[in-house]
Amino acid sequence: MGAFTKAAYFLFHPNQLRSIVQWKVWHEPVHKRDPSKESETEKACFRHLELTSRSFSAVIQELNPELLMPICLFYLVLRGLDTIEDDMTIDLAKKEPLLRGFADLMEIDGWTFTENGPNEKDRELLVHFDDVITELKKVKKPYYDIIREITVKMGNGMADYALNAEHNTNGVNTIEEYELYCHYVAGLVGEGLTRLFVESNLANPALLERMELTESMGQFLQKTNIIRDIHEDFVDKRRFWPKTIWSKYVNTWDDMFKPENREKALQCSSEMVLNALKHTEECLFYMAGIRDQSVFNFVAIPQAMAIATLELVFRNPAIFERNVKITKGDACQLMMESTQNLRVLCGVFRRYARRIHKKNDPRDPNYLAISVQCGKIEQFIESIFPTQDPKKIALAQAQNPNEDVNTMETGETTFLVLSMLGVLFIIGGLMVGISLGAAWLMGARFDLAYQDLSGRIGTFVQGATDVSTTTVTSIPTTVVHQEL
């Protein structure tokens, strides 16, 4: 988007510009990374992080210092693994042992990989993977063990999918296969992150006993990405939407993208969105267990982006024609809201659930199920943060007239009023003082002003005295004339 086009866009969408400016000006990170205290390999790792994902890089670099480097390295290791798995130029006979043995390779000093195709966007990470290995050896052992264990699980899962000829030819067939794929590429990431949070005492240990919550966090994000990226995957000859879903609406996968089948395709996408929405309550429940603000921000921002993206793609025919994404202004607004607290984040989920419900089409076979799911989201949020409805309060007061619904005592009210008056008096005094000080600095002569004011007051008082004397002395004369 050129400069003129951007200017025109923001001219007609001022709220978008406002959100961007607010985020740039008012966002204050909980923690700030200090590059001056880092080694050269640490700096190199953060450069790789910024090159592979600008969005994740920003939130990772604002993490609590205890987890800053471990999570940065965790991300880079999995990104390196994913870069090998995605590269179709690598022969399967070579790819499989690389994926299964990646956890061992990352323990070899100086190991790098230079055999990615020239067009693989993250190949530079593997070319300089020795920087990551150097820093991995400095990480605390409990953190390293978690990173290694997740790498082993993910590497084996990716290798299994690479060897699955049916998947490579026809894509995902069942919902179970679909969710297993999401588990390997996102659920395992969530598991590793949760264990890191708990190990560092930045999250409630009870989360380890409810791993289904962690799984839902990853499933929700990955399913949203798969729905959004349908056109891109179609162009790349990949298919992640399960056949058990799309076969209800069209005969072949290619039929989904034909204009004459657009309504059927939208109904199919509705079922995919419904499948993703079922994770929302558990995602919110999970985030209630986070103890550290920077970690909360780290997990909340992607979830808020996901619910907003689901609303964007819901019954949106554009997803079958091009790649769609939320605007930068909306993203900044979501980040502002997501970096506050769980109540505000729940408000975001409620807002987008209502928008989805509003867009829901009664002619869609999934209409009732989607309406019910949106209702469940609202009900769950209401159970955590009940809203105070003035009508309900008035009704309760009418039904119980003898019950005092005013929770504020008279003494508290008096104190509150006096405090407000005191604050207004202090602020008024400060404003007057600042104004007078500014006038003095600009050269105002208060001595001359005082003399002039004194003179005017004296003249006024003298005039009033003369008038009073004249009136008094004239009274007898008036009376005499009246008597005569």
Side-chain angles (χ1 to χ4, degrees):
M1 188 183 291
F4 178 78
T5 308
K6 282 185 178 179
Y9 175 80
F10 289 129
L11 181 65
F12 289 99
H13 301 84
N15 286 337
Q16 296 283 317
L17 179 61
R18 178 174 177 267
S19 297
I20 295 171
V21 172
Q22 282 184 327
W23 174 256
K24 297 290 186 183
V25 174
W26 298 113
H27 174 62
E28 186 65 29
V30 182
H31 302 283
K32 290 184 179 180
R33 172 182 158 233
D34 187 359
S36 64
K37 298 180 180 179
E38 295 172 353
S39 65
E40 289 303 315
T41 49
E42 283 180 302
K43 293 177 182 177
C45 287
F46 285 111
R47 283 197 300 271
H48 298 318
L49 180 65
E50 290 170 0
L51 290 173
T52 53
S53 176
R54 293 182 64 185
S55 56
F56 270 110
S57 173
V59 290
I60 287 176
Q61 292 188 62
E62 295 180 6
L63 276 170
N64 188 300
E66 176 66 19
L67 284 181
L68 174 60
M69 206 61 204
I71 289 183
C72 172
L73 295 171
F74 185 38
Y75 179 86
L76 292 176
V77 167
L78 299 186
R79 175 61 73 174
L81 191 64
D82 187 60
T83 302
I84 292 175
E85 192 266 342
D86 280 346
D87 193 344
M88 294 297 104
T89 66
I90 302 176
D91 185 78
L92 185 58
K94 186 174 186 64
K95 181 183 290 189
E96 183 195 358
L98 280 172
L99 294 173
R100 296 194 190 280
F102 198 82
D104 296 325
L105 294 173
M106 71 184 193
E107 294 184 345
I108 302 174
D109 289 333
W111 181 83
T112 60
F113 186 74
T114 59
E115 299 177 41
N116 280 113
N119 296 325
E120 193 65 34
K121 68 182 186 71
D122 294 327
R123 75 181 307 275
E124 286 301 307
L125 169 62
L126 288 172
V127 170
H128 301 285
F129 202 75
D130 52 330
D131 295 328
V132 178
I133 293 174
T134 299
E135 289 304 317
L136 275 171
K137 293 184 178 297
K138 301 177 184 177
V139 170
K140 293 179 181 179
K141 189 176 187 307
Y143 298 157
Y144 179 83
D145 290 342
I146 293 170
I147 294 172
R148 176 180 168 79
E149 184 178 335
I150 299 301
T151 303
V152 170
K153 290 181 179 180
M154 186 172 288
N156 285 324
M158 287 179 170
D160 291 341
Y161 270 96
L163 293 173
N164 188 336
E166 172 67 17
H167 171 77
N168 295 334
T169 304
N170 299 317
V172 176
N173 284 314
T174 66
I175 294 176
E176 290 74 18
E177 289 179 11
Y178 174 53
E179 295 191 337
L180 181 61
Y181 174 80
C182 291
H183 168 74
Y184 278 123
V185 299
L188 286 175
V189 179
E191 178 188 333
L193 289 172
T194 300
R195 291 171 60 185
L196 289 171
F197 299 156
V198 173
E199 183 65 36
S200 58
N201 294 318
L202 300 180
N204 192 325
L207 290 177
L208 295 180
E209 301 170 10
R210 296 285 305 276
M211 293 307 292
E212 69 275 12
L213 303 180
T214 298
E215 184 68 23
S216 281
M217 292 283 285
Q219 292 276 336
F220 187 57
L221 296 180
Q222 188 61 27
K223 287 180 177 181
T224 300
N225 290 339
I226 288 173
I227 298 168
R228 180 198 61 196
D229 296 339
I230 180 174
H231 181 264
E232 181 181 334
D233 290 334
F234 175 70
V235 172
D236 293 338
K237 308 297 182 184
R238 295 181 295 188
R239 197 199 75 209
F240 295 106
W241 288 27
K243 186 176 181 179
T244 52
I245 290 181
W246 64 257
S247 61
K248 299 177 186 177
Y249 305 93
V250 291
N251 294 322
T252 67
W253 177 243
D254 290 352
D255 289 345
M256 186 90 75
F257 301 88
K258 295 177 180 179
E260 60 267 27
N261 296 324
R262 188 61 76 234
E263 181 57 35
K264 290 292 185 181
L266 288 174
Q267 293 173 2
C268 179
S269 69
S270 295
E271 186 168 346
M272 291 293 293
V273 170
L274 174 62
N275 179 271
L277 283 174
K278 71 180 184 180
H279 300 289
T280 50
E281 298 102 298
E282 289 189 334
C283 289
L284 293 172
F285 198 88
Y286 174 94
M287 289 183 282
I290 302 299
R291 294 173 173 173
D292 179 82
Q293 183 64 48
S294 69
V295 174
F296 179 83
N297 297 350
F298 176 75
V299 298
I301 289 175
Q303 298 295 324
M305 298 289 186
I307 190 68
T309 300
L310 278 185
E311 186 273 331
L312 175 65
V313 302
F314 180 62
R315 294 201 60 83
N316 184 354
I319 66 172
F320 300 101
E321 302 165 3
R322 56 185 171 83
N323 192 25
V324 300
K325 60 181 180 180
I326 57 179
T327 64
K328 188 174 182 180
D330 287 340
C332 289
Q333 177 65 27
L334 287 166
M335 289 189 290
M336 287 286 289
E337 294 175 302
S338 305
T339 52
Q340 296 185 47
N341 53 57
L342 185 62
R343 179 186 287 272
V344 177
L345 181 64
C346 283
V348 173
F349 271 71
R350 178 189 281 119
R351 180 170 76 241
Y352 283 99
R354 287 176 177 176
R355 290 183 183 179
I356 291 172
H357 184 265
K358 187 176 181 180
K359 290 169 68 176
N360 203 8
D361 190 339
R363 295 168 297 181
D364 192 320
N366 302 290
Y367 172 79
L368 183 59
I370 289 174
S371 297
V372 169
Q373 182 56 45
C374 290
K376 285 182 178 180
I377 295 171
E378 288 229 33
Q379 186 178 31
F380 179 78
I381 293 172
E382 187 69 19
S383 70
I384 304 176
F385 301 111
T387 55
Q388 292 188 352
D389 189 339
K391 293 181 180 179
K392 291 182 179 179
I393 294 175
L395 180 62
Q397 189 173 14
Q399 292 174 346
N400 302 282
N402 297 325
E403 184 177 345
D404 185 12
V405 297
N406 182 16
T407 58
M408 185 175 288
E409 299 292 338
T410 304
E412 293 177 339
T413 305
T414 304
F415 176 76
L416 181 61
V417 172
L418 292 176
S419 298
M420 291 175 63
L421 292 174
V423 169
L424 290 173
F425 178 78
I426 293 171
I427 292 175
L430 288 173
M431 291 177 66
V432 171
I434 292 171
S435 299
L436 293 176
W440 180 77
L441 290 173
M442 296 295 291
R445 291 289 303 274
F446 293 119
D447 54 340
L448 297 179
Y450 176 74
Q451 292 174 9
D452 181 65
L453 182 62
S454 298
R456 290 176 182 273
I457 293 173
T459 302
F460 175 77
V461 173
Q462 183 62 40
T465 304
D466 292 343
V467 170
S468 176
T469 304
T470 303
T471 303
V472 172
T473 55
S474 66
I475 290 175
T477 306
T478 304
V479 174
V480 170
H481 282 297
Q482 289 176 349
E483 290 177 350
L484 292 174

